[in-house]
């Protein structure tokens, strides 16, 4: 597994959280279960951008999530399953880390491929595996809400890690949502016009060819709003008032 030296590290909203994160990573390593560090720590490591963070994003396979949460529960930490579809949390006082095994919209299950292509990095004194640039882009492609937008992270990972991105694998991940990949690549070209050649020409040709063929087709008969894959709230009116079909269902909060 390739080992990298982080180009930068995030700053902590609460400096006292460092001891909690260091302890959590040691306990995670002691479980012997496979996990990956992602989120802001991965973005900083690959881009050199340092920004504040309030937690750790720990990625694992869905089948390992109950085991990880169970271990920390037995150790006396407070654990919760915020959303069975993708997210658990481990708390100790006011500090916490996320246990993530998919995306909130169900498009991004963490599988063996994520671990096959991971890197290794030292964080808070522990050697841990960190998500690869390809999967990091995939994990952020659909985070586009009014209060949080990760498009800039995607752009900067492309800028700094273009030679390390497996573009064929990324296209495979986003095959069903190839238009979303095209949107991110067009955003990159617009933000950094002098760096356009960092995205392979074959990939742009492939996506533009798909678009050209799509333009010749009639619009779909079923009225669908895929915006809810980005934000359930921001596109609620489309489903609740305007007659568009939702891509996935949604329930009420348990304690609401």
């Amino acid at each position: 597994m390739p080992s990298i030296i982080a180009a930068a590290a995030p700053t902590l909203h609460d400096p006292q959280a460092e001891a909690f994160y260091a302890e959590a990573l040691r306990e995670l390593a002691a479980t012997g279960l496979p996990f990956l560090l992602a989120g802001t720590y991965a973005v900083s490591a690959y881009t050199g951008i340092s920004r504040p963070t309030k937690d750790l994003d720990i990625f694992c396979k869905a089948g390992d999530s109950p085991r990880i949460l169970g271990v920390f529960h037995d150790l006396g930490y407070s654990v919760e399953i915020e959303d069975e579809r993708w997210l658990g949390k481990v708390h100790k006082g006011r500090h916490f880390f996320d246990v993530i095994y998919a995306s909130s919209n169900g498009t991004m299950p963490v599988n063996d491929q994520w671990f096959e292509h991971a890197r290794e990095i030292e964080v808070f004194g522990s050697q841990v595996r960190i998500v690869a640039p390809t999967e990091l882009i995939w994990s952020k492609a659909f985070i586009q809400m009014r209060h949080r937008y990760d498009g800039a992270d995607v752009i900067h990972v492309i800028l700094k890690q273009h030679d390390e991105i497996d573009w064929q694998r990324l296209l495979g991940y986003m095959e069903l949502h190839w238009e979303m990949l095209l949107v991110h690549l067009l955003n990159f070209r617009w933000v950094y016009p002098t760096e356009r050649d960092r995205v392979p020409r074959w990939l742009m040709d492939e996506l533009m060819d798909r678009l050209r063929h799509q333009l010749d087709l009639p619009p779909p008969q079923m009225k669908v709003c895929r915006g809810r894959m980005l934000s359930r709230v921001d596109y609620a009116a489309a489903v609740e008032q305007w007659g568009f079909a939702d891509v996935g269902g949604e329930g009420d909060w348990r304690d609401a």
Side-chain angles (χ1 to χ4, degrees), residues 4-240:
I4 66 169
I5 298 175
T11 58
L12 300 179
H13 279 294
D14 182 354
Q16 295 181 357
E18 181 173 342
F20 167 73
Y21 295 153
E23 178 184 77
L25 290 174
R26 288 195 299 270
E27 297 290 2
L28 281 164
T31 68
L33 296 167
F35 70 91
L36 297 168
L37 184 62
T40 304
Y41 280 86
V43 172
S44 294
Y46 288 126
T47 68
I49 296 171
S50 181
R51 65 173 186 245
T53 186
K54 65 182 185 303
D55 63 357
L56 293 177
D57 286 345
I58 300 299
F59 281 35
C60 67
K61 292 188 290 186
D64 286 328
S65 173
R67 299 184 177 104
I68 290 174
L69 294 173
V71 166
F72 280 88
H73 178 268
D74 292 344
L75 289 171
Y77 294 76
S78 174
V79 303
E80 64 176 318
I81 302 171
E82 183 169 305
D83 191 327
E84 178 69 23
R85 294 170 293 186
W86 69 288
L87 175 65
K89 289 180 180 288
V90 175
H91 296 264
K92 188 173 187 180
R94 64 180 181 272
H95 307 307
F96 70 95
F97 67 86
D98 290 335
V99 179
I100 299 170
Y101 42 91
S103 59
S104 60
N105 61 26
T107 61
M108 187 207 73
V110 177
N111 57 30
D112 288 331
Q113 268 196 304
W114 291 58
F115 294 92
E116 292 170 8
H117 303 286
R119 312 291 199 265
E120 192 170 85
I121 192 172
E122 182 178 339
V123 181
F124 299 127
S126 294
Q127 289 293 124
V128 299
R129 285 184 284 187
I130 190 171
V131 65
T134 305
E135 283 72 23
L136 182 57
I137 291 174
W138 177 218
S139 74
K140 290 180 169 290
F142 291 88
I143 301 177
Q144 301 183 43
M145 293 169 279
R146 190 183 323 169
H147 63 281
R148 180 180 173 186
Y149 174 67
D150 281 6
D153 287 346
V154 172
I155 286 172
H156 288 125
V157 173
I158 293 173
L159 179 69
K160 295 296 185 179
Q161 296 292 323
H162 58 97
D163 286 339
E164 298 297 322
I165 297 168
D166 187 324
W167 296 101
Q168 192 69 57
R169 193 164 81 246
L170 182 60
L171 179 60
Y173 285 137
M174 303 191 71
E175 180 65 38
L176 185 59
H177 305 291
W178 59 268
E179 291 156 295
M180 182 61 70
L181 177 58
L182 177 58
V183 166
H184 282 294
L185 297 182
L186 290 175
N187 281 342
F188 174 78
R189 289 169 63 88
W190 185 83
V191 172
Y192 291 111
T194 59
E195 313 305 314
R196 291 171 181 164
D197 60 351
R198 300 197 179 197
V199 176
R201 175 62 183 265
W202 69 261
L203 179 56
M204 294 301 300
D205 287 342
E206 169 65 22
L207 295 174
M208 294 303 294
D209 187 62
R210 295 182 185 193
L211 183 61
R212 281 190 293 270
H213 281 82
Q214 187 190 67
L215 288 171
D216 292 332
L217 299 175
Q221 294 186 17
M222 174 71 74
K223 291 177 61 176
V224 174
C225 176
R226 289 186 291 198
R228 299 262 284 184
M229 297 178 69
L230 306 178
S231 170
R232 294 189 296 255
V233 173
D234 295 332
Y235 296 94
V239 174
E240 297 171 0

